[in-house]
Amino acid sequence: MQFQMTRLHHAMVLALPALAALCGAAHAQDKPTASSVPEVVVNARKQTLPGGSALPAQQLSAGKSATGDTAALLADVPGASVNAAGGVSSLPALHGLADDRLRIKVDGMDLIASCPNHMNPALSYISPAQLGSLKVFAGITPVSAGGDSLGGSIVADSRAPEFAAPGQPALNQGEIGASLRSNNKARNLNVSAMHATQDFSLRYDGSIGKADNYTAGATFKSYDFTGRAGHTLARDEVGSTAYSTRNHALSVAFKRDDHLFEARLGAQDVPYQLYPNQRMDMLKNDQRSLNLSYTGQTSWGVLQARAYHETVDHYMDFGADKRYWYGAASGGATSVNSSPCSPISATCAAGMPMYTDGKTTGLSVKGDINLSDRDVLRVGADLQQYTINDWWPPSGGGMWPGTFWNIREGKRNRAGLFGEWEGWLSPAWTTLVGARVERVHMDAGKAEGYSPGTNGMGTMMHYQMRDAAAFNAADRSTNDNNVDLTALARFTASPTQTIEFGFAHKERSPNVYERFPWSTWQMAALMNNFVGDGNGYVGNIRLKPEKANSLSATFDWHAQDERWGFKATPYYTQVTDYIDAVQWNPMTNQRAVTPAARKFSVLKYVNQSARIYGLDLSGQMPLAQNDWGQWGLRGLFSTTRGSNRDTGDGLVNIMPSNARLSLTQQKGGWSNSAELVMVGAKKHVSSMRNEVTTPGYALVNLRASHSWGKVRLDVGVENLFDRFYSLPTGGAYVGQGTTMSNPALPNYPQWGTAVPGMGRTVYVAMNVTF
């Protein structure tokens, strides 16, 4: 299978010249105008509740030029934020709930991060250049778009297939774009080509991106070593932020009357993506996916079906900015820079290789049944099978002589059924009520440490033997029966005023890395961390599913022609059996009552309870129209507060109050904006995790774009005044030096340093269609 997929990967690359030639040949033909291209999606009744937030096409196009990270595009969505990670793999958050607490669909596929650090989240598999639309349900989510989540849904789709209009010649089109960013020398190239007739469409999309480390607005550390002799970093350089990634997609679509069939092949190759808030780096991530879908219009409504399969081959070790050689033969723990040694032994360790193999197979069916002109019933089913193996081969030092199995033969299989009724009770009232039931089965094979047969290296190996024995003796098979309920209503008080309010009960089962990592040994626990706080984490087989009850309302005032508008969305969520963490003391096998002071530590996942509440504000308005063009103002404000109800502690990675205000100007083909970003100080943190506080800051960004028919130019400056700031949800800086142990000496990453944001950067991008 791997050989076949590799051949497919190369075939997709080789197919590009042929597709480009087809596009070039189109200039010799009478090309149909854009208006002759028909709507791709089969006609269906539009779901009106809740509306969700879709990024406008203009904002999406402008955002693509400024970033290679798809999740970063969510910055313009009220209630959304991102937890910084790798350069193209940020983790999205909605109303304080992030990562696996959200349902994220990419081209209709539910994808799962196959990595103990979640370095390959779902949105990392679609580049900004490939995006056709990005939609967010940040509040109450319909059960048809939810499931196995607490905080909402994100739907990212590639560009829909296009077809030639009846009686028109074949469409042959292409696109090529490139962008450069100054601070980290990021360079991106994207290419697409398409050939389509009235009932057939073939499209290729490809993108590559590469970047060096970025620099902050000022120095933020007092050392420059990396743990590798001869390699140092400037004191304003944020280590382990470089990346290189390649994405390809080939899609084929057929349309016959009211039926649309589509097959999409995807391939991602990441040679490296380094992480400033993780002790390891991604040094390979090969993903392959096959996605088949059908949409059909029938006499009773719309039928949609999808089947997909994904494989992930993932590898981690220490990147260029982190110490690679360990053990007494490499210079010992007190050396600032290690020396190469051989062969691997109890005194010589060559890195710490970590492999993850993940496979996901999914099937979904949904029908929209028109009960009457005023009532729609949606019913459907989802099936997903996920398997994972996570193993660490011996590399010497404490990591030998055997293979450490972090998760062996892990399984997480999910099956769900849902029904949803949407009705128009009167011209003023619209309602939606839905229910979903799901069963999640999880299991894992036996655990095994580096030295399974003897005490080996002494105490630390003894912990491995003890913990593995306890894990293997436990019943690792669990079955969770989860229920989601949603009730929504919208009242249209007038053509300029609407109120939408609702309630949702959502349940989510733990992910494999919350349940199955078994070792309390400090070094092994430090490798299991997907929140980027520098701590180590131990799983808990007995975790219960999280259960959230949410209330939300949206008050919307707007002009009838939508020239101006203002929205306010207060929300409140209470979560029972919230998966948080407590301190773990491996010496006594007991949980400590209070966290260790001012250093990284080892924690264990436990069920507690939590409360999250906040407010989103957003709006836009015209200001003036004069010889300089049309002027407008656009802004948003979000504030979120999250607390552990059992302890009173803060929740980790909650974005502090923040606002974004943009002055816009349009004239002719120009579209320009000046943007002010303001973020408050982060003081309410998780003391149990020793989360670092961050001060508030304000940044100024300038953006401009111009279109000349088929050519679009984007230029901009971000962080115009080169301000230094710390990322509130960027985690702890462990981007260079000795990262495998907790801080003990000056050459270890020290607790207390947050990952800084990027200093001033100038970007330019050009996109040409033909």
Side-chain angles (χ1 to χ4, degrees):
M1 179 64 178
Q2 180 64 38
F3 173 71
Q4 292 175 341
M5 295 308 293
T6 302
R7 291 182 61 186
L8 171 64
H9 172 76
H10 292 302
M12 292 166 67
V13 177
L14 294 173
L16 176 59
L19 288 170
L22 284 172
C23 297
H27 293 285
Q29 304 177 13
D30 293 326
K31 295 180 62 177
T33 63
S35 61
S36 67
V37 179
E39 181 71 22
V40 175
V41 180
V42 176
N43 291 330
R45 185 192 299 270
K46 179 184 290 186
Q47 178 170 285
T48 60
L49 274 176
S53 298
L55 263 70
Q58 185 173 340
Q59 284 183 243
L60 195 60
S61 297
K64 292 178 181 180
S65 304
T67 183
D69 183 3
T70 296
L73 298 173
L74 297 170
D76 288 325
V77 177
S81 61
V82 294
N83 298 343
V88 295
S89 296
S90 295
L91 302 173
L94 301 176
H95 290 168
L97 296 166
D99 199 8
D100 281 352
R101 290 191 171 106
L102 308 178
R103 188 175 188 187
I104 302 175
K105 298 174 75 70
V106 177
D107 288 327
M109 300 183 292
D110 288 303
L111 304 180
I112 297 173
S114 295
C115 169
N117 303 144
H118 282 197
M119 291 181 175
N120 44 23
L123 289 182
S124 68
Y125 291 123
I126 182 168
S127 69
Q130 292 175 285
L131 267 181
S133 65
L134 185 63
K135 190 170 186 178
V136 179
F137 295 89
I140 306 298
T141 306
V143 295
S144 55
D148 200 31
S149 60
L150 300 183
S153 298
I154 299 173
V155 180
D157 288 315
S158 302
R159 282 176 277 193
E162 297 180 67
F163 299 90
Q168 294 292 327
L171 292 174
N172 294 283
Q173 298 177 348
E175 182 178 319
I176 184 168
S179 66
L180 297 171
R181 295 191 292 278
S182 64
N183 186 294
N184 58 347
K185 299 179 182 178
R187 47 272 194 209
N188 293 271
L189 176 68
N190 61 275
V191 180
S192 66
M194 186 265 291
H195 170 74
T197 64
Q198 292 183 108
D199 54 10
F200 171 79
S201 180
L202 174 66
R203 183 184 184 94
Y204 166 82
D205 291 282
S207 64
I208 58 175
K210 194 171 185 178
D212 300 336
N213 289 341
Y214 69 77
T215 57
T219 59
F220 66 96
K221 53 192 173 180
S222 60
Y223 55 92
D224 51 18
F225 53 78
T226 64
R228 302 195 183 200
H231 178 46
T232 59
L233 300 181
R235 297 189 178 185
D236 65 346
E237 183 174 348
V238 183
S240 300
T241 54
Y243 64 84
S244 175
T245 180
R246 299 186 282 261
N247 292 277
H248 305 282
L250 182 65
S251 62
V252 180
F254 300 90
K255 186 180 69 168
R256 181 63 58 86
D257 298 326
D258 292 328
H259 305 278
L260 176 67
F261 301 87
E262 186 176 4
R264 179 178 294 270
L265 294 170
Q268 183 187 81
D269 167 28
V270 179
Y272 61 87
Q273 184 177 191
L274 311 185
Y275 280 71
N277 61 358
Q278 295 289 356
R279 298 169 185 271
M280 307 295 293
D281 295 307
M282 177 197 291
L283 299 185
K284 184 184 77 169
N285 194 81
D286 290 340
Q287 185 245 23
R288 306 290 183 264
S289 64
L290 172 62
N291 187 2
L292 306 175
S293 66
Y294 163 78
T295 303
Q297 182 84 41
T298 70
S299 59
W300 49 263
V302 178
L303 176 65
Q304 294 177 302
R306 185 178 305 276
Y308 62 91
H309 180 71
E310 179 206 39
T311 63
V312 177
D313 182 9
H314 178 71
Y315 167 64
M316 293 192 298
D317 210 326
F318 304 112
D321 300 333
K322 295 170 182 171
R323 179 172 178 168
Y324 181 77
W325 300 95
Y326 285 84
S330 72
T334 60
S335 63
V336 171
N337 292 313
S338 61
S339 301
C341 55
S342 64
I344 62 170
S345 64
T347 60
C348 175
M352 185 183 175
M354 301 172 63
Y355 292 89
T356 308
D357 175 27
K359 292 182 174 63
T360 306
T361 300
L363 175 66
S364 63
V365 179
K366 186 180 85 166
D368 289 9
I369 304 170
N370 299 323
L371 300 178
S372 70
D373 291 339
R374 302 170 60 181
D375 300 275
V376 174
L377 175 66
R378 298 184 185 92
V379 294
D382 301 308
L383 294 173
Q384 185 186 63
Q385 290 188 325
Y386 176 69
T387 60
I388 182 172
N389 283 294
D390 184 337
W391 72 101
W392 312 343
S395 61
M399 294 80 68
W400 93 314
T403 294
F404 188 103
W405 282 91
N406 194 39
I407 300 178
R408 174 153 45 187
E409 298 174 356
K411 297 178 183 178
R412 192 180 192 273
N413 299 329
R414 182 167 65 90
L417 297 171
F418 69 85
E420 182 176 273
W421 168 75
E422 183 173 2
W424 289 261
L425 302 181
S426 71
W429 283 97
T430 309
T431 58
L432 181 145
V433 178
R436 172 186 282 267
V437 292
E438 292 196 341
R439 184 175 179 86
V440 179
H441 170 71
M442 297 180 66
D443 202 353
K446 291 187 175 182
E448 186 175 307
Y450 283 112
S451 182
T454 66
N455 283 341
M457 296 288 291
T459 303
M460 66 180 178
M461 290 303 178
H462 172 69
Y463 292 153
Q464 293 181 47
M465 295 172 59
R466 178 201 65 192
D467 295 341
F471 182 86
N472 295 337
D475 182 4
R476 301 179 296 278
S477 178
T478 60
N479 290 289
D480 300 328
N481 297 308
N482 301 332
V483 176
D484 284 11
L485 302 170
T486 296
L488 277 160
R490 175 185 291 151
F491 174 63
T492 303
S494 72
T496 62
Q497 299 178 37
T498 61
I499 302 173
E500 184 178 301
F501 52 92
F503 165 81
H505 174 84
K506 302 179 181 180
E507 299 184 2
R508 167 208 169 244
S509 291
N511 63 44
V512 294
Y513 285 105
E514 289 167 326
R515 268 192 168 143
F516 295 138
W518 50 272
S519 179
T520 62
W521 174 33
Q522 175 181 275
M523 191 281 293
L526 290 172
M527 302 299 107
N528 290 282
N529 179 321
F530 49 83
V531 294
D533 61 2
N535 297 309
Y537 286 86
V538 182
N540 185 348
I541 300 174
R542 301 276 74 88
L543 285 176
K544 301 175 183 177
E546 297 177 314
K547 303 174 183 65
N549 292 312
S550 299
L551 290 169
S552 177
T554 297
F555 302 89
D556 185 353
W557 297 268
H558 55 271
Q560 291 190 48
D561 59 4
E562 302 291 340
R563 289 191 313 116
W564 63 265
F566 176 77
K567 290 183 179 181
T569 303
Y571 58 88
Y572 178 89
T573 297
Q574 187 164 299
V575 188
T576 56
D577 292 321
Y578 181 85
I579 299 175
D580 213 329
V582 297
Q583 293 290 322
W584 181 265
N585 185 342
M587 297 299 296
T588 61
N589 202 21
Q590 297 293 319
R591 300 169 193 163
V593 176
T594 58
R598 300 180 63 82
K599 71 173 186 177
F600 302 122
S601 56
V602 175
L603 305 101
K604 182 174 182 176
Y605 293 113
V606 295
N607 288 117
Q608 295 181 319
S609 61
R611 177 190 297 114
I612 301 173
Y613 57 91
L615 174 68
D616 298 331
L617 303 175
S618 63
Q620 79 282 336
M621 61 179 292
L623 293 178
Q625 183 171 350
N626 52 34
D627 292 342
W628 292 89
Q630 294 180 333
W631 298 82
L633 197 64
R634 185 175 69 243
L636 61 85
F637 168 83
S638 295
T639 183
T640 304
R641 180 71 174 234
S643 300
N644 185 307
R645 298 177 63 227
D646 291 356
T647 65
D649 200 8
L651 303 182
V652 71
N653 281 342
I654 298 293
M655 184 71 176
S657 299
N658 61 96
R660 188 177 296 259
L661 188 65
S662 298
L663 175 66
T664 63
Q665 181 250 349
Q666 291 183 329
K667 182 177 175 60
W670 285 100
S671 179
N672 310 312
S673 68
E675 182 180 75
L676 175 63
V677 178
M678 297 167 284
V679 179
K682 183 175 182 178
K683 299 178 180 179
H684 188 62
V685 296
S686 173
S687 59
M688 180 62 69
R689 303 178 192 237
N690 289 314
E691 187 179 11
V692 179
T693 59
T694 58
Y697 60 90
L699 307 176
V700 174
N701 305 320
L702 302 179
R703 310 186 193 280
S705 66
H706 191 280
S707 296
W708 298 270
K710 297 181 180 299
V711 179
R712 177 188 172 98
L713 174 69
D714 289 270
V715 295
V717 183
E718 295 191 322
N719 193 358
L720 175 65
F721 298 108
D722 203 23
R723 290 287 306 274
F724 176 82
Y725 63 102
S726 297
L727 297 171
T729 58
Y733 181 67
V734 288
Q736 65 186 91
T738 300
T739 62
M740 278 182 60
S741 302
N742 271 346
L745 297 169
N747 60 308
Y748 291 134
Q750 297 297 302
W751 177 90
T753 301
V755 175
M758 186 180 291
R760 179 170 50 237
T761 185
V762 178
Y763 69 86
V764 58
M766 180 169 285
N767 202 73
V768 181
T769 58
F770 52 89

